[in-house]
Amino acid sequence: MDIAEKKRKHYSKNVHFQRKQKRNDFDNRNPKTANTLNQAAKKLLDQIGKPQPRAFVPDPYQRVALERVMEGDVLVSAPTGSGKTWIALEAAKQYLANHRGVWYATPLKALSNAKYEEFGSALGRENVGILTGDRKENPDALVIVGTTEILRNQLYDSMHSGTDLGVDLVILDEAHYLGDIDRGVVWEEVLIYLPSRVRILLLSATISNAGSVAKWLTHIRGSECEVVQSVLRPVALHILFRTPKGELTPFLKGDKLFPKVADYVHGEKARSRYSIQTADMNDIVETLREFNLLPAIVFLKSRADCDRAVDSLLPASTDPLDDGFSEFVREFLEPYPELRNQKQLSRLLDCRAASHHAGQLPGWRLLIEKSMVAGYLDVIFSTSTVAAGVNFPARTVVIVQSDRFNGRSFVDITSTDIHQMIGRAGRRGMDLVGFALIVPGKFLKVPLVKTLLLSEPEPLQSRIGVNFSMVLNLLLSHDPLGIEELLGYSFAAFHQNQKQARKINSRLIRDFNKHLSLLQDLNYVDSEGKPTYDGKWAAQLRLDHPLLIAELIKKGHFNDLSPEELAALIAPFVTDKDKDISVSREAWDKTRQLWKQFRGMITDLKPLAQFMISRGFDTPSIMFWPAAAAYLWAQQIDWEELAEHIGADEGDMAMLMLRTADHLRQLCSLQNEQPELARRARQAIEMLVRPPLI
């Protein structure tokens, strides 16, 4: 036995000893709730097992969808994990075999990256490209994977140039994003702008008004869109309830609460909600472990709650050195040296648990996702955002609250929210059955959870709206009357009665004319509705606030800036939340000159902002901390040092840098009109996009 092996075994014994001591200490201080199991719950748990291996056989709905998409538009609505990606992959194979192009659009860059790897492995790397803004590989491939915004922008360019998009099938994954408050407009634009010759395949978890969406598409595209639905989960699902005394019981009996749960609710009415304490996370995890319900995802309401849950856990009993997890983590971290000091690393290894939320670095979240998929983790604590778009295989999901933070305040979760969450329970090919465990506490309304579980997901609603980028880009290829006609194709107008449809159309047209009038007054559009010289290049700024940045370009405000300063003054335009973020005194000292430039920028924008407000438009809060953060990062300081200076979560800081780089790429598109600005924008991107962000 060599020295390294002796050290490994010695370390292993020490870890086991320390864990045992910690558990004994905890049990002496906090006697655990005695877990019990009633007979009805036992029958459900007795179904736990692993299915026998068998050759893959497509489900009937998969075969039908694949057959229909070769001839027409198809909307597939099926539960999470039921194999919708198989339909997309097989359709891509058939289109590729006939030398026909495919565009696979997702709402998330991370999801696009994952699908790019999956499609590349299945179809051949040479046949697949990716376009996500920060990634551009093999863009001339017959199969392109990317974000929906990139596809929308390509449609703008195609309409402007009068050229063909060059694809024959567009696949829109996570199609329920059509109803997303912030981004649904992009999905609706894509569906309206796509040429009718291009087939559409929409993939989504259960949509309660799928028929209405399909009828709308049939109406605006002139060819039938067929709905292919499946309500069968690939893995059966049972809903359990853990009483405060530690008893596991079914949650429902038919469409009513199980008697034990009803008794709890009746007793709860006689108590103050604020006297009800949420169960200790160690108790919950031990319950899951005792009844063979791991791995699990525990949904919590905030990032801080997720992190606190991990910090509160006792070490797991499994030795991370025995099953290869330590080596797995070590190999993953080799290209991510900055993650080796991540404060949760020891918890990850010792407790086999992690938090997962948007406040973390992308590389760390990727490690958590890969660890869970590889089967190394027992439990993940996450906000409800992980319910969509991330492949986390879990036997059980745990719900301990019935509200969520919507970015402004805490609101009740919806039926769509809870169905997305419980959709992660049960691993296809690994579980015979999955579970959702409801754990009561002061933030969980049992009657609300019951109602939501028994309800269909909320119907998708149109999020169509008018913005300056849309108007400028559409005016490159349409006259104002043509744009009014396009707005009349909205889903919002279609699913209303005739009187309501006219009202919605009138509202959209008024909003369009309001934007058009302002653009004409600012000389971006002429009196006939055609973009001027300034309007044409401003249309390339496909940003949240294109007019503000265009005005700064017109005034030459960016002309004499270094790449670091350019990055800094673009950064304030990418944040969408007015957060109070602290900046260290040292950081203030290092950014005094930048502060003067920032104030000058605000002064330059003030007349335009006041003019827009007078015309009924909102203007953003422009804060200094994003400028300071981007400036310091562009100066190549270490990530750890940046975190010491700027009091934002690492994930928010990473998103700030990556979105700033996206905005700078829009400036790069002005190569012909502003070559020097485009050159410095490219330099700034290289300064921002570096480890640990890549």
Side-chain angles (χ1 to χ4, degrees), residues 493 496-507 510:
Q496 305 291 338
N497 60 42
Q498 193 170 14
K499 182 178 179 180
Q500 290 173 317
R502 286 199 300 269
K503 186 176 180 180
I504 290 170
N505 279 340
S506 296
R507 176 180 59 78
R510 283 197 305 272

Side-chain angles (χ1 to χ4, degrees), residues 475 478-487 509 512-513 516:
L475 285 173
H478 296 74
D479 60 24
L481 288 178
I483 295 177
E484 291 182 7
E485 182 180 354
L486 280 179
L487 293 173
I509 290 171
F512 163 69
N513 286 323
L516 176 61

Side-chain angles (χ1 to χ4, degrees), residues 312-502:
S312 72
L313 288 187
L314 290 169
S317 57
T318 307
D319 180 3
L321 297 175
D322 286 346
D323 66 354
F325 187 37
S326 290
E327 182 64 18
F328 176 89
V329 172
R330 187 192 66 77
E331 290 181 358
F332 179 90
L333 293 180
E334 283 184 358
Y336 299 97
E338 62 285 337
L339 296 181
R340 294 170 190 166
N341 296 323
Q342 219 282 348
K343 59 185 178 181
Q344 287 188 4
L345 181 58
S346 62
R347 311 297 296 171
L348 178 72
L349 293 169
D350 287 350
C351 302
R352 299 305 181 96
S355 62
H356 183 283
H357 53 71
Q360 298 165 325
L361 285 172
W364 181 255
R365 293 202 303 270
L366 182 61
L367 171 60
I368 303 308
E369 293 161 16
K370 287 185 175 294
S371 298
M372 188 71 167
V373 171
Y376 289 119
L377 298 187
D378 289 339
V379 59
I380 283 179
F381 300 98
S382 178
T383 54
S384 60
T385 53
V386 78
V390 178
N391 178 27
F392 271 163
R395 175 168 292 167
T396 306
V397 299
V398 181
I399 298 174
V400 301
Q401 81 279 327
S402 54
D403 59 352
R404 65 178 178 85
F405 189 65
N406 66 1
R408 294 167 293 277
S409 61
F410 285 99
V411 297
D412 286 341
I413 60 174
T414 66
S415 179
T416 298
D417 292 332
I418 204 165
H419 282 285
Q420 285 280 355
M421 288 189 277
I422 67 175
R424 296 295 165 191
R427 302 162 296 177
R428 187 170 191 170
M430 301 173 69
D431 290 313
L432 290 173
V433 63
F435 296 88
L437 178 62
I438 312 298
V439 179
K442 63 181 179 181
F443 299 117
L444 186 130
K445 303 173 186 174
V446 173
L448 173 62
V449 172
K450 172 207 165 190
T451 299
L452 297 177
L453 287 171
L454 295 174
S455 303
E456 287 190 335
E458 288 75 17
L460 295 186
Q461 298 181 38
S462 172
R463 302 300 180 184
I464 194 70
V466 179
N467 57 65
F468 288 111
S469 182
M470 174 197 292
V471 173
L472 283 171
N473 277 278
L474 289 179
L475 285 173
L476 293 174
S477 55
H478 296 74
D479 60 24
L481 288 178
I483 295 177
E484 291 182 7
E485 182 180 354
L486 280 179
L487 293 173
Y489 292 151
S490 75
F491 182 47
F494 175 77
H495 74 281
Q496 305 291 338
N497 60 42
Q498 193 170 14
K499 182 178 179 180
Q500 290 173 317
R502 286 199 300 269

Side-chain angles (χ1 to χ4, degrees), residues 553-575:
I553 294 173
K554 284 170 62 177
K555 290 186 174 184
H557 190 86
F558 297 143
N559 285 357
D560 299 321
L561 300 182
S562 67
E564 297 94 329
E565 292 166 338
L566 177 60
L569 295 189
I570 290 295
F573 296 98
V574 312
T575 55

Side-chain angles (χ1 to χ4, degrees), residues 11 75 103 110 139 144 340 361 375 439 500 602 617 635 637 664:
Y11 174 77
L75 191 165
W103 225 107
I144 295 295
R340 294 170 190 166
L361 285 172
V439 179
Q500 290 173 317
I602 298 299
F617 292 96
Q635 288 191 318
I637 70 170
L664 289 165

